[in-house]
Amino acid sequence: MNILITGASRGLGEAFAKHLGHAGDTLWLVSRNRPASIDLTDGIERHWLEADLTAIGIHQQIAAQIQNLDIIIHNAATWESSAFSHTYDFLSISEAETRAIIELNLTAPILLTQALLPVLKNSSNPKIIFIGSINGLENSGMPEVAYNASKFGLRGIAHALRETLRQDRIGVSIINPGSIGWESNAHDFLIPPMDIVNITRTVLESSRYTVIKEIDMPAMMDMQV
Ligand SMILES: NC(=O)c1ccc[n+]([C@@H]2O[C@H](COP(=O)([O-])OP(=O)(O)OC[C@H]3O[C@@H](n4cnc5c(N)ncnc54)[C@H](OP(=O)(O)O)[C@@H]3O)[C@@H](O)[C@H]2O)c1
């Protein structure tokens, strides 16, 4: 399989880059910083596409480098610098910060999908997977305005694209995780990244006859959603 992963240099994207593929697969890793997984020697071919996904024209430049593609994983995202903390204050969020969140979380996946579709359509089992968030679900109780708007919007992109691409039999899915636990903050109320990697693998390995529309996976103790 040929898989493109955005935001592959750290966090969940790094977990995808390290653990999603099988020997023989080719991964295209998009990020501004070099992903450490490039150095792994496990039979998976990894290519780093150094790119700022908010740059004008970058999406076509990425597509021009890829001849075969089966899966797009739209994972890169950003949020308010004060998000998820008691210091978050809507009135103090700058215009630049709001624009940057919408540009990376919403505009970039639309433009990258448009650019990659011609090559994706040649796959025998093409899929597009968006990484959303429980912040994009009703009653999440989360106050971050621009980030929540972007994650609700991402669901809109996924649902509309699914209908647009149904005649091409391209599966479009969105996975909405709750808070993820890393080694630095692993805790039993946070989701292990491998749970999301494993769900994503199930989606991308499903047949062309199935559409997995949306998967919500809050942490066990996320009570609101
Ligand atoms: N962390 C959580 O608890 C959580 C919970 C629910 C959902 N999610 C979702 O899961 C996904 C991954 O989150 P994460 O926590 O792993 O994020 P993260 O650690 O902040 O990593 C973000 C990735 O996006 C890349 N990126 C950021 N700005 C970029 C740009 N302008 N151009 C290209 N790449 C850019 C970063 O690479 P460079 O800096 O090298 O460019 C990095 O690889 C996101 O969609 C997030 O909304 C996360």
Side-chain angles (χ1 to χ4, degrees):
M1 262 192 291
N2 298 278
I3 307 172
L4 181 139
I5 302 161
T6 68
S9 63
R10 62 172 190 268
L12 183 59
E14 182 177 37
F16 287 140
K18 284 184 175 170
H19 303 295
L20 195 59
H22 300 293
D25 287 344
T26 298
L27 305 188
W28 301 91
L29 308 179
V30 182
S31 54
R32 296 166 301 179
N33 295 290
R34 185 179 185 278
S37 62
I38 289 288
D39 297 327
L40 293 173
T41 51
D42 54 6
I44 297 172
E45 202 176 303
R46 293 179 179 83
H47 302 277
W48 175 34
L49 299 176
E50 181 180 1
D52 180 342
L53 285 164
T54 64
I56 301 221
I58 193 69
H59 314 96
Q60 292 294 345
Q61 288 174 35
I62 290 171
Q65 298 177 66
I66 298 175
Q67 281 75 48
N68 296 299
L69 189 62
D70 303 293
I71 315 287
I72 307 171
I73 301 181
H74 291 289
N75 165 77
T78 190
W79 43 84
E80 294 86 345
S81 51
S82 56
F84 319 126
S85 79
H86 64 277
T87 62
Y88 174 79
D89 169 33
F90 172 58
L91 287 182
S92 69
I93 305 299
S94 70
E95 175 178 342
E97 201 167 20
T98 296
R99 289 189 185 280
I101 292 165
I102 300 302
E103 194 70 28
L104 180 63
N105 298 10
L106 283 179
T107 309
I110 294 175
L111 297 180
L112 188 60
T113 302
Q114 281 179 322
L116 291 170
L117 259 182
V119 65
L120 189 71
K121 282 183 178 179
N122 296 329
S123 167
S124 58
N125 190 9
K127 309 250 185 266
I128 302 173
I129 300 172
F130 294 91
I131 302 301
S133 166
I134 58 165
N135 287 61
L137 301 179
E138 296 292 341
N139 305 318
S140 76
M142 309 294 262
E144 295 82 8
V145 173
Y147 181 65
N148 285 14
S150 75
K151 290 300 180 179
F152 268 91
L154 202 61
R155 296 175 62 212
I157 295 172
H159 296 329
L161 253 187
R162 186 179 307 114
E163 299 316 312
T164 302
L165 299 178
R166 220 179 254 275
Q167 73 264 18
D168 297 303
R169 295 169 61 199
I170 298 178
V172 181
S173 309
I174 180 161
I175 298 171
N176 303 311
S179 297
I180 303 167
W182 315 106
E183 277 172 27
S184 54
N185 71 343
H187 200 288
D188 61 6
F189 58 77
L190 298 172
I191 299 174
M194 281 308 292
D195 284 1
I196 305 169
V197 172
N198 290 332
I199 283 285
T200 304
R201 185 181 294 115
T202 300
V203 172
L204 63 85
E205 290 181 351
S206 65
S207 85
R208 206 171 182 175
Y209 303 101
T210 305
V211 184
I212 299 174
K213 291 186 170 181
E214 185 158 19
I215 296 175
D216 298 338
M217 43 187 311
M220 185 63 79
M221 301 312 286
D222 279 332
M223 302 298 196
Q224 300 97 320
V225 291

